[in-house]
Amino acid sequence: MTRDFYLPYLINYSQPVAEDIAIFCVAMLTGIIVSAEGQAFIATLLGDSRSDAKDRFHFNVFMHMSLLGTLNFFVAGFGWAKEIDINIKNFKKFPRLFYVLSRISGPLANLLMANIAASLTWILGRWGFEDKVFTTIVVVNVTMAVYGLIVVPPLPGSALLFALLPEGAFVEKLKKTICTFGPYLIVATFLVVRLSGWQGISSFFNPIVSTITSFILSA
């Protein structure tokens, strides 16, 4: 498998291969549910528990899917899950810190999933099987983890930005505006990158994705 595969997985629409698209969709759905349930688990563990947690722990990936987040997978090789409802007021101690930890647990869960998939790839390799499914899961989850740290909502990394902003009516309006237009900004930006060939922010993140994926698969 070439090193180019370790970059964010981008479907070649000029020569689409049904098998590759199907495998990518499996990896995408895996990454979505792992990110969403990881955030829900840590938020609950830190104090934001709910009497009825079916809105979080239903393990139904289709209920975790975001329209724009899913679209971005096919544009940029990464995306995001529908935002998990987290009530910062339920965190009794260090509410802002616990909020950030809850959100960032999404990318961390993706990294954990990537390591599990890499272990399965190694096991299959020891038995002489050539794998592509679990390797793709590694790539997609690492890409979600790395790009998920961008501080633009609804990506998990935006929690850090919101935690640093002061309280106030103006700031709340600003947050709502950013949250409304953030998803469209992300999709539009990476669509331009894809169509123009201009690397942009990808020139910084792609080498990180490549390095982490290579390390995990070779460990």
Side-chain angles (χ1 to χ4, degrees), residues 96 162 165-178:
R96 293 198 175 199
F162 291 155
L165 290 175
E167 296 182 356
F170 173 76
V171 173
E172 289 302 317
K173 289 182 179 180
L174 180 62
K175 287 181 181 180
K176 290 181 180 180
T177 302
I178 296 175

Side-chain angles (χ1 to χ4, degrees), residues 15-216:
Q15 295 178 327
V17 179
E19 180 186 3
D20 291 344
I21 295 175
I23 292 174
F24 175 74
C25 288
V26 170
M28 174 188 71
L29 295 176
T30 302
I32 288 173
I33 195 168
V34 166
S35 177
E37 297 291 343
Q39 293 179 56
F41 175 75
I42 296 300
T44 302
L45 187 67
L46 294 176
D48 184 21
S49 58
R50 310 291 173 90
S51 57
D52 184 5
K54 290 183 180 179
D55 61 329
R56 290 178 170 181
F57 301 112
H58 46 68
F59 295 97
N60 184 341
V61 65
F62 297 105
M63 293 179 67
H64 283 310
M65 291 176 70
S66 160
L67 178 60
L68 290 175
T70 303
L71 174 63
N72 205 63
F73 274 102
F74 294 95
V75 171
F78 80 96
W80 55 89
K82 184 184 295 183
E83 191 171 26
I84 292 293
D85 179 40
I86 297 177
N87 188 349
I88 192 172
K89 294 180 180 179
N90 287 336
F91 299 131
K92 304 303 180 183
K93 296 181 179 179
F94 314 112
R96 293 198 175 199
L97 174 61
F98 283 3
Y99 176 74
V100 172
L101 292 177
S102 298
R103 292 298 185 200
I104 297 300
S105 64
L108 293 178
N110 286 128
L111 281 179
L112 177 60
M113 184 70 247
N115 278 276
I116 294 172
S119 299
L120 295 174
T121 298
W122 180 84
I123 293 172
L124 290 173
R126 296 282 290 184
W127 285 92
F129 292 99
E130 185 175 348
D131 164 71
K132 192 171 184 180
V133 175
F134 293 115
T135 306
T136 305
I137 290 176
V138 172
V139 175
V140 172
N141 275 272
V142 171
T143 307
M144 282 188 69
V146 173
Y147 278 86
L149 297 178
I150 297 175
V151 291
V152 177
L155 296 175
S158 63
L160 180 60
L161 173 64
F162 291 155
L164 295 175
L165 290 175
E167 296 182 356
F170 173 76
V171 173
E172 289 302 317
K173 289 182 179 180
L174 180 62
K175 287 181 181 180
K176 290 181 180 180
T177 302
I178 296 175
C179 289
T180 299
F181 293 102
Y184 297 97
L185 176 63
I186 295 171
V187 174
T189 298
F190 284 95
L191 184 60
V192 170
V193 168
R194 185 74 187 273
L195 294 177
S196 67
W198 173 63
Q199 288 296 307
I201 194 173
S202 298
S203 62
F204 174 77
F205 285 101
N206 284 356
I208 300 175
V209 173
S210 178
T211 301
I212 294 176
T213 307
S214 299
F215 174 77
I216 291 175

